[in-house]
Amino acid sequence: CLRTVKDPSGSKIRFCAVQPGGRLAAYANRNSEIVFVDTADWQVKSRFAAHSGSVSRILFTPDGRFIISAGDDRLVKVWKAD
């Protein structure tokens, strides 16, 4: 293992994705949040409540500008990846 990232809230991590080009990583935790991590220093860059239920999947668009999330609230959302 080269690097370990732990969710600051202590929540379990459900899914993760890496932005094309590798500048950002994102993960969804059990608190229904999406968390962005800067891969230069592996620090949390931002976090936000994404869905009213659990996040079921996240992925970056091929150009890396957006992240798409799907949730147990039956919604698909598109977010800016910055």
Side-chain angles (χ1 to χ4, degrees):
C1 175
L2 297 175
R3 180 71 62 175
T4 300
V5 177
K6 186 174 182 179
D7 186 73
S9 72
S11 179
K12 291 181 180 179
I13 295 173
R14 297 194 68 202
F15 301 100
C16 64
V18 177
Q19 183 183 44
R23 190 177 61 85
L24 283 176
Y27 66 83
N29 65 24
R30 293 232 180 227
N31 293 341
S32 302
E33 295 177 315
I34 293 176
V35 181
F36 287 100
V37 177
D38 186 329
T39 59
D41 59 8
W42 296 99
Q43 297 298 310
V44 172
K45 183 175 178 179
S46 63
R47 65 186 315 120
F48 55 91
H51 291 269
S52 61
S54 295
V55 179
S56 14
R57 190 74 59 208
I58 60 171
L59 61 91
F60 281 95
T61 57
D63 63 7
R65 294 178 44 219
F66 302 97
I67 194 164
I68 300 168
S69 64
D72 291 347
D73 55 6
R74 298 179 292 164
L75 296 173
V76 172
K77 297 182 177 184
V78 179
W79 312 88
K80 281 185 78 174
D82 54 13

